[in-house]
Amino acid sequence: MSIILDSPLDMHLHLREGEMLQCVAPLTARDFAGAVVMPNLISPVDSEHKLSQYRRDIERVCGQELFTPYMTLFFRPYRLAELEKVKDQVIGLKLYPAGITTQSEAGVTDFSEIEETLQHMQDLSIPLLVHGETSGFVMDREREFIEVYRDLAVNFPKLHIIMEHITTADSVEFMERYDNVSATVTLHHLMITLDDVVGGFMQPDLFCKPIAKTPRDRGALRSAVFSGNPRIMFGSDSAPHPRHRKECVGCAAGVFTAPVALPLLAQIFAEEGCLDLLQSFVSDNACKRYRISPPEKRITLTEKEWVVPELYGTVRPFYGGERLFWAVNRDGE
Ligand code: DOR
Ligand code: ZN
């Protein structure tokens, strides 16, 4: 059995810099027509100059692949003139509460101080992508942040707000209530719960922010995605860290799913008997919600066994060393 996907998109991706960028970016660029690139570099992407430099670096390592990096700017207070200048170079601004995850120290500390920037974004139709977690108890962080989302959605009704990598039943329910709110869902949060991370031997490769939640939460995500909710887009949140930063004291957060994303998505959609809904999850919903037209790129997936490499460079991928039952057809294979 085979399935053809038109212009698959990854609406939330970490590509890093330097050698890591060189290692991971081509893996996404060969399977996807485009991806929304996160700005949480060591020095955050928060100026027009850093933005164009980062885009150039990405384009260089992706070579001839038909692939659009949809760039994001790291959210900080911006003046109207600054946003007017970058408007056509970004798909949105990514807001991190300060210190909530990897390289987010320069994020927002006081939400009452950002209203002017949000107003400019609304006026210029620049979407707001949000890492929605408080600094509360780890299992409650996303639920507690819903109050912030509600204020944003109500006070800026024309601002497109994207709840990134939602993991809870509450988030699904909240998102459905406001027309200006969308969400991304990762592959791993459709597949694992907290039990997979710490229920047996601890699995550093499955540790991420937001942490995987309960079976009920995963069930709510799966029901929403497998029923074809048009507000939900695929965003892998593929977040590579070298093995020595995962298997150590102070394990870095992030699951590296880029090389297995499409095969595993095909696999879980096929298991649910809803392969016909994969196209909208990995492309059409995003095109409509963001009003984008990615390059035309057809990716064929076939039911075929392969074993995921244990390592890509220094990074252990999701399902490393394990057998998958769907594969991306590659030219010449
Ligand atoms: O697990 C995560 N890793 N969550 C994030 O929000 C950031 C990401 C990263 O950059 O490593
Ligand atoms: Zn992320």
Side-chain angles (χ1 to χ4, degrees), residues 12 14 38 94 96 131 165 209 237 239:
H12 184 131
H14 297 269
M38 291 298 127
K94 173 68 189 288
Y96 292 95
H131 183 118
H165 42 53
K209 304 273 180 76
D237 200 12

Side-chain angles (χ1 to χ4, degrees), residues 14 16 40 101-102 131 165 208-209 237 239 241 253-254:
H14 297 269
R16 316 294 190 209
N40 62 329
T101 188
T102 311
H131 183 118
H165 42 53
C208 64
K209 304 273 180 76
D237 200 12
H241 292 281

